[in-house]
Amino acid sequence: MLPIDNSKHIEYSVIIPAYNSEKFINSTIKSISSFLSNYKYEILVIDDGSDDDTVKMVKSLGLANLKIYANKHKGVSYSRNLGINEANGKYIMFCDSDDKLIGKLPFQKFEEEIISFSAYCKKENIVKTQEDKLFLIENLFGFGKNKDNFSGYYGGSVSKFFKREWLIQNSIYFNTELDNSEDILFNLHAILNATKIKLLKKEIYQYYQRSTSVTHSYDEKLLDNHIVFISEIKKELTKFHDTADLIQRIESLYLYQLIFRLFKNDINFKSDYQKYCLMTNHPVNSNWNTNLTRQVECFSIKLVNNFGINVARHFASFYITGKKIIRHNPNKKVLYI
């Protein structure tokens, strides 16, 4: 008699990309085990070439439902994609190696392709129309938060379940060319391909924001990253009606990111700015969309429109310097999604 393949009965697979995570990954795994204790589940740790004792620490736990894959350093997108292919669960969830799942998932059955959890969700809902899907996509970029039906759909890859077979059948993977916003592009593809998305008002994810956050840090590769990213976004959104304004807002938002993370220190900022304009089909001397969310975003883009890119990059430099001076607590912050 052949042995029974119990992997077919696994309901949830949690994928943890890890890199030099020996100090905190054990507590992450413990939180997952508690969260999914009502279910049959597995945990996949995808180590991305750590040079500390991450792999040794995970192996020492001796858990039967824990698998570890030790790879050369290939990036978080490669690790997540490997996890998708190697998982056995009906649903997969991503969790970063220094974060935690909180509480315990009550026993319930899901059938939707995506189940999203957020404390900021105004009400539980099922999303299936094109209009509602585009609204979720707006929220990926931080737009639309003042609307009455703001969903709280988080733009990152975490705090959600994705039906695994559906991801594979629709070739929904992380773009390994991207080091920035790869999770937003993944979510956009998932939203557009889903027939039903369940939004739940429930706080399940504890996220650590550390002082090494890259929000405004210099990134010499950001321009090429954003050119790939915006090209993919436009390719998807231009398939739908009434998305021109949304595309313009996204292009303007990512120009803001370039101003703060590349142009402020970039000696080639003029030619790099022209390269971004060319990619977006946006004439250098025309107005960018200022209908963004945060005041600093709007103000930066208004400076570009009225005074040019050089003035905006000087503002970015002053703004970041001022922020560092008045920052009182540079240590990590605990956030809940």
Side-chain angles (χ1 to χ4, degrees):
M1 180 182 294
L2 294 173
I4 296 173
D5 184 3
N6 289 324
S7 66
K8 293 181 180 178
H9 304 290
I10 294 174
E11 294 174 89
Y12 296 107
S13 298
V14 182
I15 298 166
I16 308 176
Y19 179 72
N20 289 349
S21 306
E22 64 171 314
K23 294 181 180 178
F24 28 74
I25 194 167
N26 284 5
S27 60
T28 300
I29 292 171
K30 184 178 179 180
S31 75
I32 294 168
S33 299
S34 176
F35 180 74
L36 291 174
S37 57
N38 288 327
Y39 298 88
K40 187 173 177 62
Y41 67 94
E42 65 178 1
I43 300 172
L44 291 77
V45 176
I46 317 295
D47 185 76
D48 191 32
S50 294
D51 52 22
D52 67 356
D53 287 330
T54 297
V55 173
K56 182 179 178 181
M57 290 289 291
V58 174
K59 286 182 177 179
S60 70
L61 295 175
L63 299 177
N65 62 344
L66 191 154
K67 303 175 183 177
I68 183 163
Y69 299 81
N71 299 314
K72 294 180 179 179
H73 186 58
K74 296 184 178 181
V76 68
S77 292
Y78 177 89
S79 296
R80 288 173 179 156
N81 290 342
L82 177 62
I84 293 171
N85 288 330
E86 293 295 328
N88 293 293
K90 177 181 177 182
Y91 284 97
I92 62 169
M93 170 183 266
F94 301 102
C95 184
D96 290 342
S97 60
D98 53 350
D99 297 338
K100 294 180 181 179
L101 298 183
I102 53 179
K104 184 175 293 189
L105 183 66
F107 187 78
Q108 54 189 312
K109 291 290 185 180
F110 298 114
E111 292 300 330
E112 297 82 8
E113 291 93 348
I114 306 172
I115 298 93
S116 169
F117 300 87
S118 176
Y120 301 102
C121 179
K122 289 290 182 70
K123 60 180 181 180
E124 295 186 5
N125 203 353
I126 298 291
V127 172
K128 52 186 178 180
T129 67
Q130 177 183 318
E131 181 181 1
D132 286 343
K133 286 182 182 182
L134 290 176
F135 175 70
L136 285 190
I137 290 170
E138 285 188 15
N139 280 279
L140 294 179
F141 300 94
F143 304 145
K145 290 188 175 181
N146 295 324
K147 295 183 180 181
D148 291 338
N149 59 339
F150 171 52
S151 69
Y153 189 101
Y154 178 59
S157 58
V158 302
S159 201
K160 304 173 191 71
F161 294 137
F162 298 95
K163 189 174 283 188
R164 177 181 173 271
E165 286 189 9
W166 164 79
L167 288 177
I168 294 173
Q169 288 170 359
N170 289 277
S171 299
I172 302 172
Y173 289 98
F174 292 86
N175 189 320
T176 55
E177 291 184 70
L178 300 178
D179 294 316
N180 180 283
S181 296
E182 74 287 340
D183 44 3
I184 291 180
L185 185 60
F186 175 87
N187 270 295
L188 181 138
H189 286 151
I191 289 170
L192 292 179
N193 280 278
T195 56
K196 287 184 181 180
I197 303 167
K198 191 176 188 68
L199 307 176
L200 292 173
K201 183 177 175 59
K202 186 174 177 62
E203 179 182 87
I204 69 165
Y205 199 88
Q206 182 175 292
Y207 164 67
Y208 287 99
Q209 184 181 54
R210 288 175 165 75
S211 58
T212 54
S213 171
V214 298
T215 305
H216 288 148
S217 60
Y218 176 72
D219 185 351
E220 64 179 6
K221 298 179 180 178
L222 199 63
L223 177 62
D224 291 336
N225 184 100
H226 283 5
I227 287 175
V228 172
F229 175 77
I230 295 294
S231 298
E232 289 294 316
I233 292 292
K234 291 173 73 172
K235 184 167 65 177
E236 294 298 325
L237 291 183
T238 49
K239 299 174 184 177
F240 301 90
H241 298 295
D242 301 322
T243 56
D245 181 72
L246 175 57
I247 292 171
Q248 289 177 8
R249 292 166 76 188
I250 294 169
E251 290 172 342
S252 298
L253 176 64
Y254 278 74
L255 172 61
Y256 158 80
Q257 285 193 16
L258 287 168
I259 292 168
F260 271 71
R261 293 185 56 192
L262 177 64
F263 295 166
K264 65 181 176 63
N265 295 321
D266 183 15
I267 60 173
N268 300 313
F269 71 92
K270 288 184 179 179
S271 61
D272 285 347
Y273 173 56
Q274 290 176 344
K275 187 176 179 180
Y276 187 70
C277 291
L278 181 65
M279 184 277 303
T280 59
N281 297 319
H282 198 103
V284 172
N285 296 322
S286 64
N287 289 338
W288 294 85
N289 194 313
T290 58
N291 185 20
L292 305 179
T293 302
R294 297 168 59 228
Q295 289 184 353
V296 66
E297 296 167 355
C298 298
F299 186 70
S300 299
I301 298 303
K302 286 179 180 178
L303 287 176
V304 177
N305 291 340
N306 293 313
F307 303 103
I309 192 70
N310 196 34
V311 173
R313 65 190 284 268
H314 282 310
F315 165 72
S317 182
F318 283 122
Y319 179 87
I320 293 169
T321 301
K323 229 181 150 182
K324 288 180 180 177
I325 292 172
I326 65 173
R327 180 183 292 156
H328 298 294
N329 182 16
N331 298 319
K332 66 182 182 182
K333 298 178 181 178
V334 179
L335 304 175
Y336 296 92
I337 296 172

